[in-house]
Amino acid sequence: MAAAILTLALAFLCGGGLWLGLGPRLTLSEEQEQNQLLNLVVYVGAAVPPAFALVFFLLGGLS
């Protein structure tokens, strides 16, 4: 359970950082506010697999 929470927290931080750095590059919606939210969701979703791998190997190495 702790690994899942760490994975989601790390993915949200990395995705948020990507969103701040890259901005709304993808045009997913005509509305500006909804487009920014959808870009954040895409960035966080893209950050989940690397975050999971990082947390998996860090927790696996500690035990």
Side-chain angles (χ1 to χ4, degrees):
M1 185 67 181
I5 293 171
L6 286 173
T7 299
L8 291 176
L10 183 60
F12 188 75
L13 289 174
C14 292
L18 281 172
W19 179 69
L20 285 174
L22 297 176
R25 302 273 181 185
L26 306 172
T27 305
L28 302 171
S29 176
E30 292 295 324
E31 291 184 36
Q32 184 68 17
E33 186 175 329
Q34 187 176 10
N35 187 47
Q36 294 220 13
L37 181 62
L38 289 173
N39 273 270
L40 178 61
V41 169
V42 168
Y43 292 150
V44 170
V48 168
F52 175 75
L54 183 65
V55 169
F56 179 76
F57 284 117
L58 283 177
L59 290 179
L62 292 176
S63 55

